[in-house]
Amino acid sequence: MKYETVIGLEVHIELATESKIFCSCSAKFGGEQNDHVCPACCGMPGMLPVVNKRVVDLGMTAGMMLNCKINRTTTFDKKSYYYPDLPCSYQTTQWFAPVCVNGAVEIETSKGKKTIRIKQIHMEEDAGKLVHDDWTDTSLVDFNRTSVPLIEIVSQPDLSSAEEVVAYLERLRTLLRFAKVSDCRMEQGSMRCDVNLSIRPEGSDKLGVRTEMKNMNSISAITRAIDYEVARHIDALENGTEELVQETRRWDDIKGKSYSMRNKETAGDYRYFPDPNIMPVVIDDAWYQRICDSLPELPELKKQRYITELGLSEYDAEQLTQSRAFCDCFEDAYAVCGMAKEAANWLISDCYNILNKKQQTADMLRISGKALGELIKLVAEDKVSRGNAKKILSVMFEQDIDPLAYATENGFIVSNDTGAIEETIQRIVAADPKSVADYKSGKEKALMALFGKCMKELKGNCNPQVLREMLLKCIENA
């Protein structure tokens, strides 16, 4: 019998806010354990939550990027369950009136394009983190992550393969990074998902027994887990190896297997009820319009504009539009230097190489696009050599500098003093008669050796073409 896979995702996105959702504690990743906590996010009696307006801004932004309807009145609710990293024994979330509903995103796989419907996006607080120490057989709780603001993007069960899941997650990540909703760094937990999966006979409209795999935070692990679960479900249906039950499972990426954690809860188990301490959030026309006006140009539209209006190749445009930070820097640099191809080359090649060495992503680019444009102009006008410009670019990653002022102060301005250049050439040629003889006998590499010595002596501060012409003339007369 042929089967089809039915998958729905619950994707948790940590929002790019400075503070937590209901208090002023820092929401930044890292820090000493239990350093970013206060009585409010620790669940102390008598502490009342105050909604962080920036969280609502980002929730609305995410919804608009994913073509959702925005609920103009949205409320918070209590989701009751006990776990050691949840100090209140309930999570403040949204159930009855989430901020966004009825969205959709389009993905593309080897089978073509497909629309994935989004049921809702709701705002909620994160739980803390349990740290298990097998050596001492203890578990410790870090509450730094408690009340860090999240949105949960709940899809309809429209996905049918690991390939589609990966395409969907990558599309979400691109859109949300572009809108600066989140950095979506799965390795830090700012993007993670629960995979709900079932199997049914091909052509059937009846859903099979559903299992959920919690807190998946890497694309490779998600792919392997889906493939494993599909095989497990089919084996159970065809060979009776086990009875499938609705449950929550844990994925062990090292062993390549999933393990049962607990029976899957239903909505009734969580005893949702409106949070009496948080008033409904009413989104008026002015607030709604402000978020609409702040939305970025979609990456695919930006890519097409770079190709048609600026003359970039499809490859260059594709590379730039992988990152909002790269796009912003490119556009600022182009506005200054007026050379789209050069600006793209510097970002895609030189800037990306520096980021790689720093083990940083493209979205972590922080250099000034205006300063990069000024640097490109200096090279184009033969005021600074390409090699020295790379040195200046490295400094720009460490501090905010004016490229022209820095080049002047550090002796990087190309010299037009032909007398000094000629003196250097004569000294190098006189000191290396073998290379001169080798070049005259037809060995082209000997000329490059002499050229390199001259350029090194001059610290790159001369026009390469002028240097080459003067060097050839000097060799001829030697």
Side-chain angles (χ1 to χ4, degrees), residues 21-22 90-93 123-127 146-150:
I21 187 169
F22 299 123
Y90 65 82
Q91 179 189 34
T92 304
T93 182
M123 302 175 288
E124 62 186 20
E125 61 179 344
D126 206 347
T146 305
S147 283
V148 166
L150 303 174

Side-chain angles (χ1 to χ4, degrees), residues 394-422:
S394 295
V395 176
M396 288 167 58
F397 272 77
E398 305 300 330
Q399 53 186 290
D400 187 16
I401 61 171
D402 175 80
L404 178 58
Y406 186 86
T408 303
E409 291 168 7
N410 291 273
F412 288 150
I413 297 296
V414 169
S415 172
N416 292 318
D417 184 354
T418 56
I421 296 173
E422 186 173 3

Side-chain angles (χ1 to χ4, degrees), residues 144-399:
N144 278 349
R145 203 172 66 184
T146 305
S147 283
V148 166
L150 303 174
I151 55 171
E152 182 175 334
I153 304 169
V154 183
S155 81
Q156 296 286 6
D158 293 343
L159 299 147
S160 56
S161 67
E163 183 188 10
E164 288 184 1
V165 168
V166 170
Y168 174 73
L169 291 173
E170 289 180 342
R171 181 61 176 163
L172 291 187
R173 182 164 56 186
T174 296
L175 291 172
L176 298 181
R177 280 180 172 176
F178 237 78
K180 298 184 178 180
V181 169
S182 171
D183 60 13
C184 295
R185 299 186 67 181
M186 298 187 84
E187 73 277 8
Q188 291 185 358
S190 59
M191 181 180 187
R192 52 192 190 270
C193 76
D194 302 339
V195 179
N196 295 280
L197 181 148
S198 64
I199 296 294
R200 65 185 177 191
E202 194 174 68
S204 172
D205 58 359
K206 184 179 179 181
L207 294 174
V209 176
R210 174 168 59 97
T211 58
E212 178 185 38
M213 287 175 288
K214 298 284 287 186
N215 290 326
M216 307 291 292
N217 63 354
S218 86
I219 294 295
S220 62
I222 290 168
T223 300
R224 294 178 68 203
I226 289 173
D227 290 342
Y228 175 85
E229 278 297 291
V230 169
R232 185 179 72 86
H233 278 235
I234 292 176
D235 190 38
L237 292 175
E238 291 192 339
N239 302 316
T241 52
E242 62 180 299
E243 180 183 356
L244 294 176
V245 295
Q246 184 169 305
E247 62 181 346
T248 298
R249 298 181 70 86
R250 176 181 64 86
W251 173 252
D252 187 323
D253 201 41
I254 295 175
K255 295 181 179 179
K257 297 178 65 176
S258 68
Y259 297 90
S260 179
M261 290 176 63
R262 58 180 181 269
N263 289 340
K264 174 64 179 163
E265 299 91 345
T266 65
D269 295 324
Y270 290 124
R271 305 188 303 282
Y272 287 99
F273 68 95
D275 192 324
N277 296 320
I278 306 175
M279 295 295 290
V281 177
V282 179
I283 300 165
D284 61 20
D285 290 344
W287 189 355
Y288 182 87
Q289 192 58 48
R290 176 172 63 83
I291 301 302
C292 284
D293 293 342
S294 71
L295 296 180
E297 183 180 21
L298 290 174
E300 56 268 25
L301 298 179
K302 195 179 285 288
K303 174 186 172 181
Q304 194 58 41
R305 181 168 61 83
Y306 287 172
I307 294 170
T308 57
E309 296 182 13
L310 302 183
L312 292 183
S313 68
E314 184 168 349
Y315 173 81
D316 287 347
E318 176 72 26
Q319 294 302 306
L320 288 175
T321 52
Q322 294 298 309
S323 161
R324 172 75 181 274
F326 263 41
C327 288
D328 290 346
C329 187
F330 166 74
E331 291 178 12
D332 289 345
Y334 173 69
V336 172
C337 71
M339 293 174 279
K341 177 61 177 174
E342 281 300 304
N345 287 346
W346 276 87
L347 278 160
I348 295 169
S349 177
D350 300 281
C351 291
Y352 197 72
N353 286 341
I354 294 173
L355 288 170
N356 271 343
K357 290 177 182 176
K358 291 177 170 289
Q359 296 184 323
Q360 294 179 348
T361 66
D363 284 308
M364 298 169 74
L365 180 73
R366 294 293 180 268
I367 66 170
S368 162
K370 181 180 177 181
L372 179 60
E374 295 288 354
L375 182 63
I376 293 169
K377 279 181 66 178
L378 291 176
V379 175
E381 294 169 357
D382 290 329
K383 292 181 178 178
V384 174
S385 69
R386 189 72 162 75
N388 284 334
K390 288 184 177 182
K391 296 176 183 177
I392 296 172
L393 180 65
S394 295
V395 176
M396 288 167 58
F397 272 77
E398 305 300 330
Q399 53 186 290

Side-chain angles (χ1 to χ4, degrees), residues 40-57:
C41 54
C42 276
M44 296 297 179
M47 302 304 298
L48 296 178
V50 177
V51 177
N52 181 344
K53 188 176 181 180
R54 180 64 177 156
V55 173
V56 185
D57 284 349

